Amino acid sequence: MAETLLMLGVSPIAIADRDVWETWVVEPSLPPEVADVGTLLEPNLELQQQHAIWDGSPL
């Protein structure tokens, strides 16, 4: 999904396994402000919550 966002010109707020991305994905490159929220298998939920833009209220 991050790759699709970047191709549309939208920078993701955070992704899991940034190091893996930078090893395996050459283009598009991630902007430096994209946060790493942990591994794909065990993402850090606290970090995800810190970077969330949704406040949890019903839509």
Side-chain angles (χ1 to χ4, degrees):
M1 184 177 291
E3 185 174 2
T4 302
L5 286 171
L6 289 167
M7 296 299 267
L8 292 171
V10 178
S11 180
I13 296 169
I15 65 165
D17 278 332
R18 184 183 177 109
D19 292 339
V20 172
W21 176 284
E22 292 174 347
T23 299
W24 291 97
V25 180
V26 178
E27 290 292 329
S29 61
L30 282 174
E33 64 271 6
V34 176
D36 186 346
V37 292
T39 68
L40 287 170
L41 297 176
E42 294 183 21
N44 185 318
L45 299 178
E46 289 84 12
L47 279 175
Q48 287 183 3
Q49 188 174 25
Q50 287 175 4
H51 293 287
I53 57 172
W54 177 56
D55 64 4
S57 60
L59 298 175

